[in-house]
Amino acid sequence: MVYKPYFKYLDGPPPLSVSCRRMVRLEEVDVLGIVWHGRYAGYFEDGREEIGRQFGLSYIEFKQAGALLPIRTLHVDYLLPLHYLETFDLETTMHWHEAARLNIEYKIFNSERRLTTQGYSVQMMIDLEGNLLLEAPAFFRDFQKRWRLGELTPCGY
Amino acid sequence: MVYKPYFKYLDGPPPLSVSCRRMVRLEEVDVLGIVWHGRYAGYFEDGREEIGRQFGLSYIEFKQAGALLPIRTLHVDYLLPLHYLETFDLETTMHWHEAARLNIEYKIFNSERRLTTQGYSVQMMIDLEGNLLLEAPAFFRDFQKRWRLGELTPCGY
Amino acid sequence: MVYKPYFKYLDGPPPLSVSCRRMVRLEEVDVLGIVWHGRYAGYFEDGREEIGRQFGLSYIEFKQAGALLPIRTLHVDYLLPLHYLETFDLETTMHWHEAARLNIEYKIFNSERRLTTQGYSVQMMIDLEGNLLLEAPAFFRDFQKRWRLGELTPCGY
Amino acid sequence: MVYKPYFKYLDGPPPLSVSCRRMVRLEEVDVLGIVWHGRYAGYFEDGREEIGRQFGLSYIEFKQAGALLPIRTLHVDYLLPLHYLETFDLETTMHWHEAARLNIEYKIFNSERRLTTQGYSVQMMIDLEGNLLLEAPAFFRDFQKRWRLGELTPCGY
């Protein structure tokens, strides 16, 4: 199946992508012998953590800057199942946005390079008391500046 | 926040709703002290099970009729967090569809009757070998007939 | 199978028991069609929460008194499996101990009143910085006093 | 803390060990900011899967030989917590037993090489109908023969 994009193109730099490889664990498999659909939320979170590691945008960096990133929307389209012991590649792509917000897309490919799952998440930024932040922390605005100027290395696959 | 519907109105009978009350368990709470976003997939599944129990449409009935109902799409909008020990009401609504498919919506209300979460799922029907079913099993088509004729009791709240 | 006790009798008042009834959720069932063994940690935690609710000894009361109760040991003996949609009774029993420590036993019975699972946990008490507490918070020592004097109502089944 | 062994020495060949390295995932961390105690069941299962991979003793091999390996006992001693983003080493050791049974021990070390967790599991063997097997499948008895003769390479660390 062909990947269908979720986010409209916004005037800005190209998206940033990372990739990680993973094997399905026995605990993740349900009564039908496939990865239980709710587990993909955890897979996508692994993808966000990989983006965080590669670009210095992890939960820890944001927390130290006084911000948290609750999930506002999660959307998953399940095209093909994943089975116990299957190895898969998770590609996580962060799309440009000017506001204090993260728009992230996910694609999972199995070992035959077939698209099994796609989805997206939207995260808002709040301070440690739970108030919505209209402006991102300074370190993230610096990151946006370097992203816009093309000074970041999109880690690829 | 006001609930925004997901499914367009299709010519057919009114939707069927059930409601169940639940308490947040310690295991479901994450490092931010709120229900981890991935847990809502399990809450929504509890809602589908309640629909199944009340209308004879559970995983077991379908399996005995040679069908399975994999999730094709899951969508969750997180409006307010849920906290440890909060009691919440999950309303699960099945919308009319003629095809071999289940369109289900979910709304979660906290104890102040505020909408914390809404979402939807789409399930297709497959046989036990994994082939897409274009026609639902006989028992489900009977159910659709009674639904259309208004002979079902929507269990409500 | 006959239940085999884990804790030696210590000079003190009889143990306190609570009981709660639960249904197996689809998410908890593994590829073998039975509750995945790791899920029982969550079931036992539900039992501890029930003890907490009935005796004012929950995570929240301890936290307000500046104490946390990390699990020091968890032991589970799996005698019979639990299946999807099975209803079971979880009996949680707190055994007397003088120290700043909770010794709790668990028994799960299925709908035929057969013992499916038994186990125990040991919890130590630490302060919010992680230091071991040799003396329990005042509210818990008051609770121990009333327990010893037989002034508590063991909630039973 | 010093590791305390669980299984008595049985007359037979030395145990077989494997090691795997892992990072704590955000989903695994609880409200106290440490890995929720129930998650270690999954970590230990990852260890059994690594044993399975290295010695041809996985769930799949047993299933093809008509056998399943339900967990009979799980025991976990929690000595130190694991935190978000910590890397740890899981050492999984299978101890010799003549019967149709697997006695496996686990040790988790953090990045400072301190023992954080230890535990053990006992698995019995049953056929696909659930009957206890008194004799292991042929492929496992061959494995036991090579183990006893010292013909296996214990994969180490």
Side-chain angles (χ1 to χ4, degrees), chain A residues 16 55 142-154:
Chain A
L16 303 171
F55 292 108
D142 287 345
F143 166 82
Q144 285 179 304
K145 197 174 300 179
R146 289 181 292 134
W147 184 359
R148 194 202 310 254
L149 294 175
E151 290 172 13
L152 294 170
T153 323

Side-chain angles (χ1 to χ4, degrees), chain B residues 30-44:
Chain B
D30 72 3
V31 68
L32 301 179
I34 62 177
V35 173
W36 182 64
H37 73 283
R39 290 281 182 166
Y40 290 79
Y43 291 168
F44 289 2

Side-chain angles (χ1 to χ4, degrees), chain D residues 94-106:
Chain D
M94 188 161 60
H95 287 261
W96 171 259
H97 206 286
E98 277 184 4
R101 151 184 190 138
L102 297 190
N103 284 356
I104 300 180
E105 275 192 358
Y106 312 87

Side-chain angles (χ1 to χ4, degrees), chain A:
Chain A
M1 290 191 205
V2 176
Y3 167 73
K4 295 195 186 127
Y6 296 108
F7 297 110
K8 287 203 275 284
Y9 173 76
L10 291 178
D11 202 16
L16 303 171
S17 281
V18 300
S19 186
C20 36
R21 182 158 284 183
R22 209 31 179 77
M23 184 181 278
V24 172
R25 301 164 60 228
L26 185 54
E27 163 188 359
E28 297 162 353
V29 175
D30 72 3
V31 68
L32 301 180
I34 61 177
V35 173
W36 181 64
H37 72 282
R39 289 282 182 165
Y40 290 79
Y43 290 169
F44 289 3
E45 185 168 79
D46 292 345
R48 287 193 295 279
E49 295 201 292
E50 188 60 26
I51 289 257
R53 254 189 296 279
Q54 298 218 28
F55 292 108
L57 297 179
S58 79
Y59 159 74
I60 305 246
E61 269 96 359
F62 274 97
K63 192 163 179 220
Q64 285 170 345
L68 300 170
L69 275 73
I71 306 285
R72 172 60 180 76
T73 295
L74 173 71
H75 182 102
V76 191
D77 283 310
Y78 304 85
L79 309 176
L80 293 173
L82 282 173
H83 303 86
Y84 175 52
L85 291 185
E86 273 207 79
T87 301
F88 62 90
D89 288 313
L90 166 66
E91 295 178 7
T92 307
T93 302
M94 188 162 59
H95 287 262
W96 171 260
H97 206 286
E98 277 184 5
R101 150 183 191 138
L102 296 191
N103 283 356
I104 299 180
E105 275 192 356
Y106 312 86
K107 302 189 202 76
I108 291 182
F109 296 91
N110 64 17
S111 52
E112 299 167 11
R113 199 65 193 166
R114 297 182 72 185
L115 181 68
T116 69
T117 327
Q118 55 176 87
Y120 70 90
S121 64
V122 176
Q123 288 164 283
M124 311 308 293
M125 295 184 194
I126 61 176
D127 64 22
L128 303 185
E129 282 75 51
N131 303 306
L132 194 65
L133 289 174
L134 296 174
E135 186 178 75
F139 88 96
F140 185 76
R141 285 181 277 121
D142 287 345
F143 166 82
Q144 285 179 304
K145 197 174 300 179
R146 289 181 292 134
W147 184 359
R148 194 202 310 254
L149 294 175
E151 290 172 13
L152 294 170
T153 323
C155 310
Y157 47 91

